[in-house]
Amino acid sequence: MIKIVMIIVLVGLALSVFFFLVNTGSGENMNTAVYTEDHEPRIGHVELQVSDLDESAQFYEDLIGFSVLERSGSTVELTADGTSPQLILTHNNNFEARSPRTTGLYHLAILVPTRQDLALSIQHLTASGYPLQGAADHQYSEALYLADPDGNGIEIYTDRNPKEWVRDDNGGYVGATDQLDLENLFAEVGDAEWDGLAEGTRIGHMHLQASDLEASEAFYVDALGFDIVAQDSHMLFVSKDAYHHNIGMNTWMGTDIPQPSENTLGLKRFTFHLTEDEYREAKAGLTEGNFQFEEENEALMVEDPTGVELKLILKSE
């Protein structure tokens, strides 16, 4: 069984996301807090515009493992913790297909607590016959890749102990795209059986398809105060709390690609939680950078350079 699963998953390995050695000078100033389930999630929820609400809801419930928190009209709220929405699906008959060569979502990344949880997800998806796109060991994490019925990229991953994450001389993280050791991973399963996403699952990071990394850096780093943790000529990873990345951006499809229309299928917005100091600094940075934003109920609403709506929320301390 293990050998069969390994073959199926590794067929798509070439389609995995590629990571590179990083080059950044911001590492020395990073917060050293560990990004674990003991801390409030940085990313609250992700909103996707879908072509078929029933099909997408069934996919995310039956195959990925979310539970339906609430369903109302053209919206389904999904959760892994049973209390707060982590993925919100909306449908409108006017939604249109997204061109691959536009800015927006590259993938949303679901962080599961343990290697056993990742192994169970891989086994479950493989047994279902749903097509997988790849799997990889990124040094600081182990990951599986696939897409939802509308082609939205999904990563399901688990982090290694942060003490094992490798940094370069400048303080940034050294990533990799190595073969995932599935036999070793499946040894974690034991007698456990898949029963949906485990308690403690969260949206770990967002990866966006960008058109101008300088514009993205001006927005996320200069205005919002994120730290650069990985960077080369075609990618930029930024984070808070010294995480390996909360938000990734790439121009692998080229530069100066257009933004999709408001009615395009795919990522509509996501929320990100900030401390009181970070919130104040972000507001000042957006103002100084002449970015248009709105503020309501301790939340800043702004559009990033890829056209994705970002809601910055003052988090509880």
Side-chain angles (χ1 to χ4, degrees), residues 207-225:
H207 195 147
L208 307 176
Q209 195 158 285
S211 65
D212 185 335
L213 291 182
E214 289 186 3
S216 293
E217 182 175 341
F219 178 80
Y220 282 102
V221 178
D222 298 339
L224 298 184

Side-chain angles (χ1 to χ4, degrees), residues 6-15 132-134:
M6 289 176 66
I7 292 172
I8 294 173
V9 173
L10 294 176
V11 164
L13 183 59
L15 299 177
L132 306 179
Q133 295 180 335

Side-chain angles (χ1 to χ4, degrees), residues 56-67 124-125 128 194 196:
S56 291
Q58 184 176 15
F59 166 82
Y60 281 104
E61 186 176 8
D62 294 348
L63 294 180
I64 302 301
F66 285 103
S67 298
H124 173 69
L125 285 161
S128 75
W194 187 85

Side-chain angles (χ1 to χ4, degrees), residues 11-305:
V11 164
L13 183 59
L15 299 177
S16 299
V17 182
F18 286 93
F19 287 75
F20 301 88
L21 290 179
V22 301
N23 181 15
T24 172
S26 62
E28 293 181 356
N29 298 319
M30 289 184 198
N31 184 340
T32 57
V34 177
Y35 190 75
T36 70
E37 60 185 284
D38 296 328
H39 293 76
E40 181 179 345
R42 281 295 191 170
I43 297 173
H45 69 259
V46 177
E47 298 182 35
L48 296 179
Q49 298 183 154
V50 301
S51 60
D52 187 318
L53 192 62
D54 291 335
E55 181 183 27
S56 291
Q58 184 176 15
F59 166 82
Y60 281 104
E61 186 176 8
D62 294 348
L63 294 180
I64 302 301
F66 285 103
S67 298
V68 174
L69 183 65
E70 183 176 343
R71 179 162 186 156
S72 176
S74 59
T75 300
V76 174
E77 296 184 359
L78 297 162
T79 183
D81 62 18
T83 59
S84 57
Q86 293 167 300
L87 185 63
I88 299 177
L89 310 176
T90 62
H91 169 73
N92 186 305
N93 289 331
N94 294 324
F95 288 162
E96 56 192 31
R98 174 190 170 201
S99 169
R101 203 167 181 273
T102 55
T103 61
L105 184 67
Y106 189 74
H107 64 238
L108 64 92
I110 301 166
L111 173 60
V112 294
T114 69
R115 298 184 80 232
Q116 182 186 75
D117 299 320
L118 177 61
L120 288 169
S121 286
I122 295 175
Q123 286 188 343
H124 173 69
L125 285 161
T126 302
S128 75
Y130 194 86
L132 306 179
Q133 295 180 335
D137 183 332
H138 293 308
Q139 193 283 309
Y140 41 69
S141 67
E142 296 171 287
L144 169 73
Y145 296 93
L146 67 159
D148 75 2
D150 286 316
N152 295 304
I154 301 169
E155 175 182 352
I156 302 174
Y157 75 109
T158 191
D159 283 330
R160 284 201 167 89
N161 188 318
K163 294 180 180 179
E164 300 177 14
W165 300 355
V166 177
R167 292 197 181 215
D168 68 3
D169 293 338
N170 295 317
Y173 291 115
V174 178
T177 305
D178 297 329
Q179 180 172 305
L180 185 62
D181 187 342
L182 286 167
E183 186 169 4
N184 178 273
L185 186 66
F186 289 147
E188 300 280 345
V189 172
D191 296 329
E193 296 183 359
W194 187 85
D195 188 28
L197 292 171
E199 183 179 354
T201 296
R202 58 180 58 190
I203 304 297
H205 66 265
M206 298 295 293
H207 195 147
L208 307 176
Q209 195 158 285
S211 65
D212 185 335
L213 291 182
E214 289 186 3
S216 293
E217 182 175 341
F219 178 80
Y220 282 102
V221 178
D222 298 339
L224 298 184
F226 283 80
D227 293 307
I228 298 175
V229 288
Q231 185 177 32
D232 68 17
S233 59
H234 298 292
M235 55 85 84
L236 173 68
F237 284 5
V238 300
S239 84
K240 300 285 187 179
D241 309 321
Y243 193 50
H244 54 71
H245 63 302
N246 295 124
I247 302 171
M249 291 147 277
N250 74 73
T251 55
W252 298 328
M253 289 296 290
T255 58
D256 298 321
I257 58 177
Q259 294 182 7
S261 71
E262 291 184 1
N263 288 327
T264 300
L265 296 171
L267 179 61
K268 176 66 174 177
R269 70 174 60 85
F270 66 96
T271 64
F272 197 90
H273 297 168
L274 299 176
T275 66
E276 185 174 353
D277 287 344
E278 291 169 344
Y279 184 92
R280 183 177 61 255
E281 292 168 1
K283 183 177 178 180
L286 290 171
T287 301
E288 184 177 346
N290 294 317
F291 292 100
Q292 299 296 314
F293 67 92
E294 296 180 1
E295 184 175 20
E296 182 178 349
N297 297 328
E298 298 184 322
L300 302 172
M301 281 72 73
V302 63
E303 186 175 286
D304 87 342

